[in-house]
């Protein structure tokens, strides 16, 4: 299932991200893939992998996201006006919406305690079972 949280920013699970029709229909030309080894669709688009496991491991995955969060969010910010971006993870309901939520917190000044409710208003299946502050605290 493809969800648009913000104009130009879409989220889905990794299997949906391999559907060529989505790229054509929504004019997606940038993909952020938050999986360790799932492939990218074979199209002429910008592809970036952030290798995160499907369990969002607190010892490896969260530090990886924390260490790169500002670069990830800036990349989205620098591109979402002129490009449509697809952020995908294993199920489309955990890591991808987390990144969108952190983006909204940083660039739209949405308080962290309101981010989950905002995301839930677009997708009732999101699964963010952790405090988003974990991504913002010092490494």
């Amino acid at each position: 299932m493809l969800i648009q949280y913000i104009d130009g920013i879409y989220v889905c699970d990794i299997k949906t991200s391999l559907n060529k029709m989505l790229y054509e229909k929504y004019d997606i030309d940038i993909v952020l893939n938050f999986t360790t080894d799932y492939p990218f669709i074979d199209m002429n688009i910008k592809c970036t992998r952030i290798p995160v496991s499907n369990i969002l491991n607190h010892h490896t995955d969260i530090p990886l996201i924390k260490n790169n969060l500002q670069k990830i969010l800036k990349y989205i910010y620098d591109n979402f006006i002129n490009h449509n971006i697809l952020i995908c993870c294993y199920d489309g309901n955990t890591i991808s919406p987390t990144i969108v939520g952190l983006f909204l917190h940083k660039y739209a000044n949405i308080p962290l305690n309101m981010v989950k409710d905002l995301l839930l208003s677009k997708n009732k299946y999101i699964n963010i079972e952790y405090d988003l502050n974990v991504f913002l605290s010092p490494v």
Side-chain angles (χ1 to χ4, degrees), residues 95-106:
I95 300 163
S96 302
T98 296
I99 297 300
V100 172
L102 293 167
F103 178 84
L104 289 168
H105 172 68
K106 178 170 180 142

Side-chain angles (χ1 to χ4, degrees), residues 37-62:
D37 57 359
Y38 275 85
F40 290 93
I41 194 162
D42 187 19
M43 293 179 69
N44 187 24
I45 56 174
K46 293 179 187 177
C47 301
T48 301
R49 179 182 308 279
I50 297 90
V52 179
S53 73
N54 64 336
I55 60 168
L56 198 58
N57 185 292
H58 282 274
H59 301 291
T60 56
D61 300 326
I62 289 180

Side-chain angles (χ1 to χ4, degrees), residues 2-19:
L2 186 77
I3 304 288
Q4 181 179 15
Y5 287 99
I6 306 167
D7 283 344
I9 299 179
Y10 299 87
V11 167
C12 72
D13 64 275
I14 193 64
K15 290 180 182 162
T16 301
S17 78
L18 299 175
N19 182 342

Side-chain angles (χ1 to χ4, degrees), residues 1-4 6-13 16-33 40-48 75 79-80 82-88:
M1 173 170 54
L2 186 77
I3 304 288
Q4 181 179 15
I6 306 167
D7 283 344
I9 299 179
Y10 299 87
V11 167
C12 72
D13 64 275
T16 301
S17 78
L18 299 175
N19 182 342
K20 185 177 181 177
M21 291 188 310
L22 291 178
Y23 294 83
E24 295 166 353
K25 181 176 181 179
Y26 298 102
D27 195 28
I28 295 168
D29 52 1
I30 295 176
V31 175
L32 298 177
N33 179 331
F40 290 93
I41 194 162
D42 187 19
M43 293 179 69
N44 187 24
I45 56 174
K46 293 179 187 177
C47 301
T48 301
Y75 182 75
N79 286 285
F80 87 104
N82 297 315
H83 302 277
N84 288 340
I85 300 171
L86 177 62
I87 304 171
C88 55

Side-chain angles (χ1 to χ4, degrees), residues 4 20 24 35 39 51 81 95 107 110-111 124 138:
Q4 181 179 15
K20 185 177 181 177
E24 295 166 353
T35 70
I81 297 296
I95 300 163
Y107 291 105
I110 306 295
K124 65 181 180 178

Side-chain angles (χ1 to χ4, degrees), residues 5 11 56 65 69 73 87 89 92-105 112 115-116 119 126-132 134-135:
Y5 287 99
V11 167
L56 198 58
I65 292 172
L69 184 62
L73 298 181
I87 304 171
C89 63
N93 294 319
T94 52
I95 300 163
S96 302
T98 296
I99 297 300
V100 172
L102 293 167
F103 178 84
L104 289 168
H105 172 68
L112 277 183
V115 166
K116 287 182 188 178
L119 296 172
I126 67 163
N127 184 22
I128 301 175
E129 299 294 326
Y130 37 83
D131 182 354
L132 292 176
V134 72
F135 296 101

